[in-house]
Amino acid sequence: MSAHPIYGPNPFKLGIFSANADGGLTLTTVPERWQARWSDITRLCRMADDAGFEFFLPIARWKGFGGTTNSREHSFETFTFASALAAVTTKIGIFSTIHVPMIHPVYAAKALATVDHVSNGRAGLNVVAGWNPDEFAMFGIHAEAERYAQALEWYQVISRIYLEDRPFDFAGKYYQLKNVSGKPKPVQRPRPVIFNAAFGPPGRDFAAQASDFLLTTFSEIDAGKSHIVDITARAEKLNHSLGVVATSHVVCRASQDEAEAYYERYAVSEADKGAVDYHMTQKQKFAGSHDEATFRLHAKRFAGGAGTYPLIGTPRKIVDEMIRMKDAGFAGTTVSFVNYLDELPYFTKEVLPLMGEAGLRVK
């Protein structure tokens, strides 16, 4: 088999983010908001596959955010989601996202290997330590104070299942396991590609040991560059190479005024303010996933795309921003939309050729 699509030839990678959940990354009441119907998701994934996107990445969500829409309670579990999409696509990387405390590593190892076989080596895993205590309570568990210490043990268990041919015992602080084994081994060796979405120092230290790519947020692209310097240094201390992928939400229109007017409409005038307040409060208290400037200045970004970076404007403006991301050291970016099916065709038609001209994509 060939390498995972994330290692493909395009200098700047693209991934569709959060299409498994209603609203996507938005917290808005506009009638055209994403409904996450299965038939629409499969159409979208095939569209992204045909367009040459490198990956399709879901969020893991168990509880909604309240407000008017209770956005994201309607969301698909990501291992079954990935396996189904893997069966109807041919080139795109298909990721699952898990919360470490809720998903046991022995189960995850077999589920991920299953997706990797269905996709013939296109599976990926986004490892999240978890941040929302309301979701933990649904499972009758509590967030560990050292949640990335648990995540590292989780990773060690799944890695040993893939690497070792004989059953083994595991005696850790968080997992005490006997006679562990698991087959089939994944198609990708030694394991499928791993993402991590940590922001704070403990999460970045975990990513430096256990991930291939780190997804990160930032208030401005220049601030993102400083994050890359920090992340890279942590990985280099462990003789590890770690790519960094930006996260973005997109409004792409023929004119700048049209794009900004729509952004103002869905993320301000018709924002689901109750859901935005809940999301920002919980994130700030428990996640450590954004820099303080994002919380202080950019409530609009949480309604617009969960605090990710806004790519708002004409195709040329968006490509210019992506050039800045690439120059800062980002390997690529995720993208999300208010309505993926309505908006991805224009993005594909107008933005991708300009990315090719700019040397971000292979023409």
Side-chain angles (χ1 to χ4, degrees):
M1 60 158 289
S2 58
H4 189 278
I6 195 67
Y7 297 112
N10 287 314
F12 195 76
K13 318 301 184 187
L14 291 173
I16 300 289
F17 191 19
S18 193
N20 67 310
D22 76 307
L25 286 183
T26 71
L27 295 172
T28 184
T29 61
V30 296
E32 66 273 17
R33 68 187 287 274
W34 184 244
Q35 299 297 313
R37 302 181 185 93
W38 180 250
S39 59
D40 289 343
I41 292 169
T42 54
R43 286 178 60 202
L44 173 68
C45 194
R46 286 170 172 152
M47 188 183 297
D49 192 24
D50 291 341
F53 278 62
E54 276 76 19
F55 61 94
F56 203 83
L57 174 66
I59 58 170
R61 230 9 354 107
W62 301 97
K63 192 174 185 65
F65 288 168
T68 302
T69 61
N70 199 28
S71 185
R72 301 178 201 161
E73 181 167 46
H74 173 105
S75 61
F76 291 103
E77 186 280 322
T78 67
F79 279 126
T80 46
F81 172 86
S83 197
L85 289 178
V88 298
T89 54
T90 59
K91 302 181 295 293
I92 193 168
I94 305 292
F95 277 74
S96 303
T97 296
I98 62 94
H99 289 139
V100 164
M102 288 82 152
I103 308 297
H104 196 280
V106 175
Y107 169 82
K110 187 171 287 289
L112 182 60
T114 299
V115 179
D116 209 38
H117 280 264
V118 174
S119 66
N120 192 30
R122 292 183 285 125
L125 185 65
N126 181 30
V127 179
V128 180
W131 58 270
N132 189 349
D134 290 346
E135 289 188 320
F136 283 78
M138 292 176 66
F139 287 79
I141 58 178
H142 300 281
E144 295 289 347
E146 298 178 347
R147 53 201 176 106
Y148 282 104
Q150 181 181 2
L152 186 59
E153 283 192 12
W154 191 99
Y155 171 77
Q156 291 167 344
V157 172
I158 198 172
S159 295
R160 289 185 66 181
I161 290 171
Y162 290 156
L163 287 171
E164 298 187 18
D165 292 324
R166 294 182 178 179
F168 62 90
D169 295 343
F170 188 91
K173 178 179 180 181
Y174 303 98
Y175 300 100
Q176 298 82 44
L177 312 175
K178 296 292 186 181
N179 207 33
V180 178
S181 63
K183 289 183 179 179
K185 307 297 186 186
V187 175
Q188 296 174 72
R189 304 299 292 158
R191 56 160 176 75
V193 171
I194 291 181
F195 281 6
N196 177 245
F199 186 86
R204 289 181 177 182
D205 286 340
F206 167 78
Q209 298 176 75
S211 300
D212 302 298
F213 292 88
L214 182 73
L215 299 163
T216 193
T217 59
F218 46 86
S219 57
E220 302 299 335
I221 293 174
D222 287 344
K225 185 173 183 178
S226 67
H227 297 331
I228 293 172
V229 171
D230 174 72
I231 293 161
T232 301
R234 293 173 191 270
E236 286 179 346
K237 288 180 181 178
L238 301 171
N239 296 315
H240 182 56
S241 177
L242 183 64
V244 184
V245 175
T247 52
S248 307
H249 56 282
V250 177
V251 178
C252 184
R253 300 292 189 270
S255 75
Q256 191 69 29
D257 287 347
E258 182 185 1
E260 291 179 359
Y262 184 66
Y263 191 35
E264 184 74 11
R265 176 194 158 209
Y266 92 81
V268 178
S269 301
E270 299 184 53
D272 187 341
K273 292 181 174 57
V276 172
D277 289 346
Y278 173 83
H279 187 210
M280 288 186 67
T281 298
Q282 295 297 92
K283 277 279 188 177
Q284 194 164 18
K285 283 183 179 178
F286 303 113
S289 59
H290 298 73
D291 54 25
E292 284 302 314
T294 302
F295 289 113
R296 188 173 64 252
L297 300 173
H298 299 303
K300 185 176 182 179
R301 293 189 184 182
F302 280 85
T308 59
Y309 188 76
L311 293 174
I312 313 298
T314 64
R316 176 62 65 185
K317 170 69 180 302
I318 287 171
V319 172
D320 287 345
E321 291 281 85
M322 289 182 176
I323 291 170
R324 291 179 60 213
M325 289 179 180
K326 176 68 167 58
D327 290 345
F330 287 100
T333 188
T334 66
V335 294
S336 63
F337 303 89
V338 174
N339 187 296
Y340 297 83
L341 274 183
D342 289 348
E343 299 180 65
L344 186 62
Y346 183 74
F347 182 93
T348 298
K349 179 182 177 183
E350 300 295 335
V351 173
L352 294 190
L354 293 177
M355 292 181 72
E357 292 175 9
L360 300 178
R361 307 287 286 180
V362 176
K363 293 184 180 181

